[in-house]
Structures are given as structure tokens and as C-alpha cells.
Amino acid sequence: MADFDPNALDELIHSKLRLGIMSMLISVEYAEFTVLKEKLQATDGNLSANLRKLEEAEYVTVVKTFVERKPQSRYSITDKGKTAFEKYIANLEKLIKQ
Amino acid sequence: MEHNISAQESLDYIKNVILDSKNIIKENGAAAILWGIVIVTAQITTFLLIQNKIYNPIPWVWAAAISAGWTVSLIISRKESKTGVVTRTLKIDSAIWSSALVVMPIIGFAGTYTGMISPFAINPIIALILGSSYYVTGVVYSDKVFKTISFAWWIGGTSLFWVNNHYSFLIFAAMMIFFQIVPGLILYTRYKKTEVENG
């Protein structure tokens, strides 16, 4: 089993929580903050900080809305994020084959 | 992974998260059961009305049934939107069923009102549309139950073209019980069992 060569991988995705966020968002239309928190077993602060990094890189986008007067932050992956994620997986596969 | 996790472990992690995300919302059969009950009621009522040569209330029976079905669908859709996540499979599934639920009443009402379609041809056509919708659902959820149901609807629908009388409504009601309500109950039981297992 080959270990990572960190230089070959996108550092923005190369973190367990951010990888979890990207993996989850690639398979859904959108996911609300609390769903991401529950599924990835993250704390509010840690999740917010990592989501912000992905937002700043334009890998994810957020829509803030109200559902029955309660605020909801719905996150979804952008085209740029999808491309970056696909490239990340391709690099992982290359590393495995090495 | 900053802690020497291997590339293979990372890929496995991605795979697990993706699979888990796809399973967030599973078809629970509630819509199938409720729509099934509504349509069975309307079919049997239509059969009895024709049997007793009372024709005027038939369009109203169907208008009430379709309205009740749509109300049920909207309630279920609102409940699902509260889960805070929409999967691509759910989006495709909702799209195919919403379009079917628009097309079927148009065929039923416009087809019979204009005389373009015989009232007894409505059920076979609807059965074939249901078969196609079930097939798409089966494919997007990779579910053998739905795929099997689709074939049952297609075979049943084709057979109904040979039933050119009001017994068509009674047969369709039976098909709705066996090909929709019963599988819906199986799905609902399976969903509840999974829910209990997941706490």
C-alpha cells in the first residue's frame, strides 16, 4: 500500500474533514450544515472553518435560506470543486499503482 | 491522512462517505402506499358506478382522487426537504414521478373528454407509464424490487388492452394492490427496520 506523496495532492482537499465534505457533496445536490456535521462527526467550529476554506477556494458554495423560520445553510459542490476532486482521486489512484 | 494514512485507505474513506451519502434518503414506500389506496378507491368506485349505470360522478371521483394524491405527495415532499439534504437519486426519482403524475391525469381527463381515447384504454396506458416510472426508480436506486414491479406493470398493462369493459377498473385495482401497495408495505417495513438498526 503506497503512502501519500503530499506534493502530488491538492492541499485544500488533503485533510480528512475537507475530504469528507467534498466526498459527501459530490454525491448530493446539496447538504445542510447540520447534516454534514452529523455525517462527518465534526464540531461546529471545525466544520465551519473547513467549509470556509473550501468556499474561499470556490470548491463549495453556500445558500442561506429559511425553512419554517429556521435558518439553513445549504452547501453544494461547484464545477471547480468537482474538477479538483476528480483530479485528487486520479492522483490517489496513480499513487496506488506506483 | 496527515497522519500517514495510505492512498488506498483514503480512497476507501471517500467510497464510504459517498455510499453513506447516497443512502441518506431511501425510498420508504409511503407515497406508493398512500397513492395506491387513493387509486384503488377511485378504481373500485368507478367500477361500481359503471356497473350501476351512473356515469356523471366519474370525472369528479377522479378529480378528488388526483387532488388527494397530489396533496399527499406535497406533504411527503415537504417532509423530505426538512431532512436538509437532497441526493441526486432523489432528484431524478422525484422528477420522473412528478412528470408521470402530470401526464397520467392529462391522458385520463383530456383523452376521455375529447373522445380521443376510450375510457377502457386509460388503465393500460397508465399501467405502462407506471411501469416505466418504476423502472427508472429501480435503476437510480439499484433496487431489484422496483425493477421487478416495472415488468409486472408492463405485462399487466399490455394484458389490459384485451379487457375492453369496466372490469378493466377492477383488474387495475388488483394490480395496484399487488404491484404498488404490497411492495410499498415491504419497502416501508424494510425502511423502519433500517431506521431502528441505525437508532
Side-chain angles (χ1 to χ4, degrees), chain A residues 3 11 15 25-26 40 48 55 58 75:
Chain A
D3 282 339
E11 280 183 23
S15 122
L25 293 182
I26 198 95
L40 301 171
S48 296
E55 260 188 270
E58 295 174 351
Y75 289 89

Side-chain angles (χ1 to χ4, degrees), chain B:
Chain B
M1 58 206 52
E2 291 100 343
H3 311 290
N4 296 325
I5 185 174
S6 74
Q8 186 60 56
E9 281 167 334
S10 181
L11 269 184
D12 291 343
Y13 175 68
I14 293 168
K15 194 178 160 190
N16 285 339
V17 174
I18 290 173
L19 282 175
D20 189 42
S21 307
K22 282 184 176 171
N23 290 332
I24 289 172
I25 298 171
K26 276 273 185 194
E27 178 57 58
N28 64 15
I33 298 165
L34 294 167
W35 261 106
I37 292 168
V38 167
I39 299 301
V40 165
T41 309
Q43 292 278 356
I44 293 172
T45 307
T46 306
F47 171 79
L48 292 172
L49 287 168
I50 297 173
Q51 183 90 331
N52 293 294
K53 297 184 170 52
I54 306 165
Y55 303 108
N56 286 343
I58 293 173
W60 296 106
V61 167
W62 282 99
I66 304 295
S67 306
W70 266 104
T71 308
V72 164
S73 294
L74 288 172
I75 291 167
I76 291 170
S77 162
R78 271 181 70 97
K79 205 177 163 189
E80 281 172 350
S81 73
K82 282 183 200 166
T83 57
V85 62
V86 168
T87 60
R88 300 231 158 75
T89 46
L90 179 74
K91 201 178 175 186
I92 297 166
D93 194 44
S94 302
I96 187 73
W97 281 101
S98 302
S99 61
L101 292 176
V102 168
V103 165
M104 291 189 287
I106 292 172
I107 292 171
F109 286 108
T112 50
Y113 181 77
T114 57
M116 288 283 279
I117 303 171
S118 152
F120 304 126
I122 300 299
N123 281 337
I125 294 169
I126 299 295
L128 295 176
I129 294 171
L130 283 171
S132 300
S133 305
Y134 270 113
Y135 188 74
V136 175
T137 299
V139 170
V140 295
Y141 283 112
S142 302
D143 195 312
K144 282 180 186 168
V145 174
F146 286 120
K147 282 184 196 169
T148 311
I149 292 169
S150 69
F151 285 98
W153 277 109
W154 283 332
I155 294 165
T158 308
S159 308
L160 274 178
F161 279 112
W162 277 267
V163 186
N164 195 17
N165 55 52
H166 67 299
Y167 282 92
S168 165
F169 295 98
L170 216 50
I171 296 166
F172 192 96
M175 283 166 63
M176 189 53 87
I177 291 167
F178 291 110
F179 305 156
Q180 180 151 319
I181 297 176
V182 172
L185 288 168
I186 294 167
L187 283 171
Y188 192 73
T189 313
R190 202 163 77 180
Y191 174 81
K192 281 286 167 193
K193 202 179 156 191
T194 317
E195 221 177 31
V196 170
E197 280 168 7
N198 295 338

Side-chain angles (χ1 to χ4, degrees), chain A residues 17 21 26 29 39 41 44 89:
Chain A
L17 186 52
I21 294 166
I26 198 95
E29 276 295 304
K39 289 285 166 191
Q41 295 175 332
D44 282 4
I89 290 178

